[in-house]
Amino acid sequence: RSVYDDQPNAHQKFMEKLDACIRNHDREIEKMCNFHHQGFVDAITELLKVRADAEKLKVQVTDTNRRLQDAGKEVIAQTEEIIRCRVQQRNITTVVEKLQLCLPVLEMYSKLKEQMSVKRYYSALKTMEQLENLYLPRVSQYRFCQIMIENLPKLREEIKEISMSDLKDFLESIRKHSDRIGETAMKQAQQQKTFSTALQKQNNVNYGRNMHLGRNRILESKNEITLKRTFEDEDEHEEEVLTAQDLVDFSPVYRCLHIYSVLGDGEIFENYYRKQRRKQARLVLQPQSSMHETVEGYRRYFSQIVGFFVVEDHILHVTQGLVTRTYTDELWNMALSKIIAVLRTHSSYCSDPDLVLELKNLIVVFADTLQGYGFPVNRLFDLLFEIRDQYNETLLKKWSGLFRDIFEADNYSPIPVANEEEYRIVISKFPFQDPELDKQSFPKKLPMSQSVPQIYMQVKEFIYASLKFSESLHRSSTEIDDMLRKSTNLLLTRTLSSCLQNLIKKPHIGLTELVQIIINTTHLEQACKYLEDFISNITNISQLTVHTARLYGLSTFKDARHAAEGEIYTKLNQKIDEFIQIADYDWTMSESDGRASGYLMDLINFLRSTFQVFTHLPGKVAQTACMSACQHLSMSLMQMLLDSELKQISMGAIQQFNLDVIQCELFASSEPVPGFQGDTLQLAFIDLRQLLDLFMVWDWSTYLADYGQATSKYLRVNPSTALTLLEKMKDSSKKNNIFAQFRKNDRDKQKLIETVVKQLRSLVNGMSQHT
């Protein structure tokens, strides 16, 4: 405890005492060990001395035993050799005696087993007959011969079962490898088709004349090469398989048929074979649920079916009676109905035109292959026409997206060309001809926007894509031409027309864009004749042919142009309404400002700049838009005066309003759009002008006296309109005393207004009764 105290040198003293204690204990332990273990050490020393003698003794014993064993080996070996030789001699003598009697029987039986092992079952049956009739009676006293006699019927049944087992293995094998057989057969048909197509293309000098068409042919050739590569054997060192017989070992069928015929069960075998093959046919015809997702699913499906019927056709021609033509035709008709139903169902899920096209190519190869084996395939080609309609629908959906993307990316501005090279690039994509523009120097602008050549090129691409499906259908050039024109008509009248209509209705499409759209549709309409020539060049069918269909692009672009024109009128009117909404008249002002309202001047400036953009439009469209805008402006101003919420109007407000109408008339007389005759455009404001003149000069006596006459100065002023406006002025006169400067005549004026109001009311009531 003192160690933890704070005494000086307490820890050092403690350690010194502890070391001394440890040394004392070590000395005591050493003494104790020396006292008790000295005897043990002496015993160990004596034991080590004895060990050397023991090892000597062990060596001597081992040596003695070895020498004894070596001395007895020779005697033992000689004794065993004598015993073995005597036993062997006795056995050989016995075996020779017995085998001399039984050897022929055993040889025949061995031959029987060998024949069965190598599946020579027919020879085995002949050997059994020899054993039963010739060899076994000689040694019938032996028990093994009785066993053989009893086993021979079993062996016959075993042969029958083995042959049937081999047949089952054969059926299972061709079930697993039917796709490989079908691939080989389809590969042969594809190679023959490719060779025939190459010859046809070589003979047709007009085929692929267009550079772009040639590019598509290269792509199609690549697709054919890819299709053929899928039929290549995975083993590169294996020789090419040409026929189903090289792929399949039909010997189990032949053996089984022969054995069952020999045994008298040929009919049973035929019924069994046909029943099993019908079951396999149902399995082969059953498609996978995800078959429509990839072309590999369709290819495997077709390969299995082709492999199945190739095997049946081979069996039909190499055997007699196992299958018949009636049986194969019945099986094919059943399969064909199932195939058509499956393809109709699964192809309806295909939304990718490339997948539909690959499916069409597979169906054509499938049909050509089976047709080469004698199976009728007309219904498959009829099905292709149904799939063609679906293919066109998928193309239309795809091109609808392409058209939308083109319209979204377009800047709706004329195409600028800086030099001759850029100009040639544009006209190489779109057949544009304008002699006046050709005379201009570079840089210059083409009237259409960038979307026009892109749309034209996409229509041609659509024709190429549609043509790909029409090929290999064994149809005439006239039918292919008709197919191309019908599908192109659908593209123009439905897809492109719908895209144009949707584009025109989009909120971000302004007046400038609408004007450019009208120009674009005009050029696209003019290019339709070039599309007809393009189709004729592909199919080599002249447009002068009686049954040649025409493209309906003219009506499509006319409808789009009319819709754009209507949208221009609508947007112009909407813009006018926006300006009218910001009008802020002081309807109780005592006198006018002496100048037109600011909102109206802004509106007129907007109309002037807008109609300058219309210079590229057809004259009639620009004139109609200008007339429609002026009429809408006049109507809006009239509605502003006659608004039911407006209760009072002063003469100063009428004067200010008159100044605004004068500006409208000046705008109309300035001929913002050329082509109007005389003051036709000013007539849009004639109703307002006559109404304002009536109130400005206060010429009620003339109005009332001439009302109803064709020569009336205020012929366009309706009594109800005049009455409504006059009542608003009357209320304002009572409140503000607008005739204050004529104080002596205030009462006369007020009385005059009241008199005119009464007369107008009588006119209005008379018109109502007459109506």
Side-chain angles (χ1 to χ4, degrees), residues 301-453:
Y301 180 69
F302 289 137
S303 299
Q304 290 178 346
I305 296 174
V306 171
F308 178 88
F309 283 99
V310 165
V311 170
E312 289 304 291
D313 182 77
H314 183 77
I315 294 294
L316 173 66
H317 288 89
V318 299
T319 61
Q320 295 181 355
L322 182 57
V323 296
T324 61
R325 175 57 66 181
T326 303
Y327 161 79
T328 55
D329 290 343
E330 178 185 352
L331 203 60
W332 169 245
N333 290 330
M334 180 273 292
L336 189 58
S337 300
K338 178 66 175 178
I339 293 168
I340 291 176
V342 167
L343 292 179
R344 280 176 178 163
T345 301
H346 284 264
S347 63
S348 62
Y349 296 112
C350 296
S351 58
D352 184 6
D354 295 333
L355 180 58
V356 179
L357 182 61
E358 291 178 345
L359 172 59
K360 168 256 175 182
N361 293 332
L362 282 176
I363 293 176
V364 171
V365 175
F366 174 73
D368 290 342
T369 302
L370 289 175
Q371 190 175 31
Y373 283 90
F375 295 98
V377 294
N378 292 334
R379 293 174 61 187
L380 287 175
F381 284 100
D382 293 338
L383 174 66
L384 283 175
F385 283 92
E386 299 178 18
I387 298 179
R388 181 200 63 189
D389 296 335
Q390 180 187 348
Y391 175 71
N392 286 336
E393 289 297 326
T394 58
L395 286 181
L396 292 176
K397 290 181 181 179
K398 178 180 179 180
W399 258 257
S400 177
L402 294 175
F403 288 154
R404 286 196 300 268
D405 294 341
I406 290 174
F407 288 141
E408 289 293 333
D410 195 8
N411 58 4
Y412 297 98
S413 300
I415 301 175
V417 287
N419 49 49
E420 182 71 21
E421 182 179 358
E422 293 183 2
Y423 179 74
R424 291 188 178 277
I425 291 175
V426 174
I427 64 175
S428 66
K429 298 178 181 178
F430 182 77
F432 174 75
Q433 296 179 356
D434 189 348
E436 296 297 329
L437 186 64
D438 292 340
K439 296 177 182 179
Q440 298 179 12
S441 59
F442 292 100
K444 53 188 175 183
K445 291 184 178 181
L446 304 182
M448 65 278 191
S449 65
Q450 191 63 44
S451 64
V452 173

Side-chain angles (χ1 to χ4, degrees), residues 408-641:
E408 289 293 333
D410 195 8
N411 58 4
Y412 297 98
S413 300
I415 301 175
V417 287
N419 49 49
E420 182 71 21
E421 182 179 358
E422 293 183 2
Y423 179 74
R424 291 188 178 277
I425 291 175
V426 174
I427 64 175
S428 66
K429 298 178 181 178
F430 182 77
F432 174 75
Q433 296 179 356
D434 189 348
E436 296 297 329
L437 186 64
D438 292 340
K439 296 177 182 179
Q440 298 179 12
S441 59
F442 292 100
K444 53 188 175 183
K445 291 184 178 181
L446 304 182
M448 65 278 191
S449 65
Q450 191 63 44
S451 64
V452 173
Q454 293 176 353
I455 291 293
Y456 183 79
M457 293 299 296
Q458 285 301 327
V459 173
K460 293 176 68 175
E461 290 290 342
F462 177 87
I463 295 173
Y464 292 140
S466 182
L467 176 65
K468 288 181 180 179
F469 195 94
S470 300
E471 293 176 340
S472 304
L473 295 184
H474 307 297
R475 297 292 172 175
S476 64
S477 299
T478 304
E479 291 176 310
I480 294 177
D481 182 87
D482 185 63
M483 293 177 193
L484 290 180
R485 293 179 185 273
K486 287 182 179 180
S487 59
T488 306
N489 278 330
L490 283 177
L491 177 71
L492 296 177
T493 59
R494 193 171 74 182
T495 304
L496 182 56
S497 176
S498 176
C499 291
L500 283 171
Q501 296 291 341
N502 294 335
L503 173 68
I504 292 170
K505 297 296 182 181
K506 287 188 175 181
H508 70 275
I509 299 297
L511 293 172
T512 304
E513 288 80 3
L514 289 171
V515 171
Q516 189 62 54
I517 289 173
I518 292 176
I519 297 172
N520 290 348
T521 54
T522 302
H523 288 283
L524 287 173
E525 179 182 343
Q526 296 171 356
C528 283
K529 61 180 181 180
Y530 296 100
L531 289 175
E532 292 183 343
D533 295 338
F534 176 72
I535 295 176
S536 297
N537 291 334
I538 291 177
T539 59
N540 292 326
I541 300 298
S542 174
Q543 298 185 37
L544 302 178
T545 304
V546 177
H547 301 289
T548 301
R550 308 293 297 180
L551 295 183
Y552 302 144
L554 299 178
S555 60
T556 297
F557 298 121
K558 284 181 180 178
D559 294 342
R561 192 159 53 250
H562 292 161
E565 293 170 3
E567 195 67 19
I568 285 178
Y569 307 150
T570 302
K571 287 187 179 295
L572 268 177
N573 294 341
Q574 291 175 353
K575 200 66 178 179
I576 291 172
D577 292 339
E578 293 177 3
F579 280 100
I580 294 295
Q581 289 175 1
I582 63 175
D584 187 17
Y585 284 102
D586 182 6
W587 298 106
T588 60
M589 63 173 57
S590 58
E591 59 182 11
S592 66
D593 295 339
R595 62 180 182 276
S597 301
Y599 86 93
L600 188 70
M601 297 306 298
D602 293 339
L603 172 57
I604 290 175
N605 291 333
F606 165 75
L607 292 176
R608 289 186 188 278
S609 61
T610 300
F611 291 138
Q612 288 178 358
V613 179
F614 287 6
T615 55
H616 298 292
L617 288 176
K620 185 178 180 181
V621 177
Q623 293 170 13
T624 304
C626 185
M627 176 60 74
S628 173
C630 291
Q631 289 176 345
H632 186 75
L633 175 58
S634 176
M635 187 182 302
S636 300
L637 292 175
M638 181 69 77
Q639 290 176 354
M640 189 184 299
L641 284 176

Side-chain angles (χ1 to χ4, degrees), residues 159-171 256:
I159 290 174
K160 189 175 179 180
E161 292 177 357
I162 290 175
S163 62
M164 181 58 69
S165 177
D166 291 343
L167 177 67
K168 292 179 180 179
D169 294 340
F170 166 80
L171 293 176
C256 198

